Amino acid sequence: TTEIYTLSLHDALPICKTSQSTMLSTLNAAVLSNTISVSTTDVRSGIAFDNIKATWGKVLGIGDSKANLGAKYDRNANKDFLESVTLSGNAASDDDLTVSYDIEHNFGSKNTELTLSAVSGGTTLSAEYDTDSQLKELSAARELELGDSKVDTEVSWIVKTQNMRVKMMTALGDATVSAQVDYADGDTSGLEFGYASNLEKGRDLTATYSADDKDLEIEIVDTNFESDATWTATANLPTTDGNMVDAATLTLKRSWAW
């Protein structure tokens, strides 16, 4: 779309005030995080606003327990109401074991996702479930020492496609490098390489190359350009064309807290 949208906060977050007040009156709530972001289409074809997103969050105290309650708005996904709500926290925690949960309900698809994670002895075991696909993914993550390097490693089993996914990430000087690959029936797919670096205070760069999509994505996040706002510039360069620069796209996003 090439329309330019102007939304008030009320339009962006159509939350029922009565229901919200009733819920929060029974809970001890503190502000967690609230953000709004506006993104553009490819600026090389002319700047136009493409989407508006917002997040809202609170820490809820229920007795001796705490949980993070969140809401997401995405105009392109559901312009008339919230996209989803989330609830996360620790179900159990002691010196040897921490069990956490993360629940998200999507109002558009009416799908509910649940992630359970258990951390013990430096190893994280996770299971992902949703009401559409049932059990989706099982994973184990741990920091491994390979030579003089420490490598964050995660191995997952994707139930639907019956394939194993391996993710690895390690420091390289002041930067971070990562790799991901899928294995199924002796074949590999989904190969991705990543690079992340802090260019200077308030300015970060990430680059991701997808071998399947033959796409190089470069993203710069800048908190220096404008006070109290974060600007993100994302360039996608297809590596299949002869001239990557001519085929590249560039989008911008402005985010700020409220």
Side-chain angles (χ1 to χ4, degrees):
T1 179
T2 57
E3 296 181 59
I4 296 179
Y5 300 116
T6 302
L7 290 186
S8 67
L9 183 59
H10 174 74
D11 293 325
L13 292 175
I15 303 173
C16 176
K17 293 183 179 179
T18 302
S19 299
Q20 185 184 28
S21 299
T22 301
M23 177 181 66
L24 295 185
S25 65
T26 61
L27 301 169
N28 177 25
V31 173
L32 178 63
S33 62
N34 306 295
T35 63
I36 297 177
S37 66
V38 180
S39 57
T40 71
T41 55
D42 181 12
V43 299
R44 302 184 67 193
S45 302
I47 295 180
F49 290 116
D50 177 61
N51 198 13
I52 294 178
K53 295 182 179 181
T55 64
W56 170 91
K58 286 187 179 293
V59 177
L60 306 177
I62 310 174
D64 295 331
S65 301
K66 290 185 177 181
N68 299 321
L69 176 65
K72 299 177 184 178
Y73 174 82
D74 184 328
R75 182 179 174 86
N76 287 352
N78 187 355
K79 69 177 183 179
D80 296 322
F81 194 61
L82 296 175
E83 178 190 18
S84 64
V85 292
T86 61
L87 184 68
S88 62
N90 289 338
S93 181
D94 57 33
D95 294 337
D96 299 321
L97 176 67
T98 298
V99 178
S100 60
Y101 62 89
D102 191 319
I103 305 170
E104 180 170 7
H105 177 73
N106 187 292
F107 292 103
S109 64
K110 304 188 186 314
N111 185 41
T112 300
E113 297 184 358
L114 168 64
T115 300
L116 291 175
S117 299
V119 181
S120 179
T123 299
T124 301
L125 302 176
S126 300
E128 297 182 18
Y129 171 95
D130 70 26
T131 51
D132 286 344
S133 304
Q134 307 299 310
L135 184 63
K136 291 176 56 179
E137 184 175 333
L138 298 170
S139 64
R142 186 178 179 86
E143 183 183 78
L144 303 178
E145 292 189 8
L146 300 178
D148 296 331
S149 301
K150 293 183 178 181
V151 181
D152 291 327
T153 304
E154 179 180 280
V155 179
S156 304
W157 177 253
I158 315 300
V159 176
K160 184 176 181 179
T161 55
Q162 295 289 288
N163 69 276
M164 181 176 67
R165 177 170 297 160
V166 179
K167 301 177 184 178
M168 305 182 78
M169 181 173 64
T170 188
L172 181 65
D174 294 332
T176 300
V177 293
S178 61
Q180 172 181 305
V181 65
D182 290 353
Y183 296 94
D185 298 326
D187 296 324
T188 61
S189 62
L191 182 62
E192 289 186 3
F193 297 102
Y195 174 87
S197 177
N198 175 249
L199 301 178
E200 59 180 306
K201 184 178 180 181
R203 187 170 290 127
D204 298 306
L205 177 144
T206 61
T208 305
Y209 176 70
S210 170
D212 285 0
D213 297 334
K214 293 180 172 56
D215 178 79
L216 174 63
E217 181 176 281
I218 300 174
E219 183 175 273
I220 295 178
V221 179
D222 193 316
T223 58
N224 296 330
F225 181 72
E226 181 184 358
S227 177
D228 300 325
T230 299
W231 282 87
T232 303
T234 304
N236 287 89
L237 295 87
T239 59
T240 53
D241 295 322
N243 193 325
M244 293 173 57
V245 176
D246 288 344
T249 61
L250 176 65
T251 60
L252 298 176
K253 181 176 70 174
R254 181 185 187 272
S255 306
W256 64 98
W258 58 274

